[in-house]
Amino acid sequence: MAAAVDEVMSALVGPESGSETHTRLELHALIEAGLPYEALTRMATLLGMSVTELATGVLQIPARTLVRRRERGRLPAAESDRLYRLARVVAHAVDVFEDDARASAWLRSPNLALADALPLDLLATDAGTHEVVDLLGRIEYGLGV
């Protein structure tokens, strides 16, 4: 579990956050304090998207609000939590597909097993996230497409 948590932390705050193991309680504290705006730009880069596209789509942050977040340099707890949820699923997809680009392509492509929805679009809700995570688990064990 520690490796998965560190992978998510690295995606959010970069490898410079240190090589020490982060616990879920440490993540909780970071999310409550608000993740840095840079975590959003990192995730957008990893997914090959613009920050605006990611923020207004998956994270449901209005464009005008996004400008304020950039100026403040930090996301509030609720938006940080949504970004963490996204990072957790992206880390799982990268683990399953063993490649950032393949994981990003899968997340951004319609999927028959998800009623032709884009997995990335389903990450806007907890229920949709569970569907995507379940499908990744099936793919990982050779049970689904």
Side-chain angles (χ1 to χ4, degrees):
M1 179 205 72
V5 172
D6 281 341
E7 192 172 334
V8 171
M9 278 303 296
S10 180
L12 291 176
V13 295
E16 64 276 2
S17 67
S19 60
E20 71 276 359
T21 299
H22 297 278
T23 67
R24 287 187 180 144
L25 287 176
E26 290 170 327
L27 276 172
H28 171 78
L30 288 170
I31 291 165
E32 283 288 309
L35 292 172
Y37 183 85
E38 179 62 27
L40 178 59
T41 61
R42 255 182 226 289
M43 190 56 54
T45 300
L46 179 67
L47 290 169
M49 303 172 74
S50 73
V51 171
T52 302
E53 183 182 14
L54 180 62
T56 59
V58 177
L59 300 177
Q60 301 176 335
I61 303 171
R64 289 178 50 150
T65 302
L66 183 61
V67 171
R68 289 193 303 275
R69 301 297 184 251
R70 184 177 58 237
E71 290 169 357
R72 289 184 187 148
R74 192 154 296 282
L75 302 173
E79 292 167 5
S80 294
D81 190 50
R82 289 195 299 266
L83 182 57
Y84 168 74
R85 178 174 61 205
L86 169 65
R88 195 179 72 236
V89 174
V90 169
H92 189 179
V94 169
D95 187 46
V96 168
F97 294 104
E98 300 178 346
D99 180 73
D100 291 357
R102 287 182 59 203
S104 177
W106 183 83
L107 287 163
R108 298 178 70 192
S109 300
N111 192 296
L112 186 60
L114 300 170
D116 277 336
L118 276 61
L120 196 59
D121 289 346
L122 293 176
L123 301 181
T125 67
D126 194 48
T129 299
H130 282 288
E131 285 299 315
V132 173
V133 168
D134 286 350
L135 180 55
L136 282 168
R138 292 194 308 266
I139 292 168
E140 187 172 20
Y141 293 101
L143 303 174
V145 180

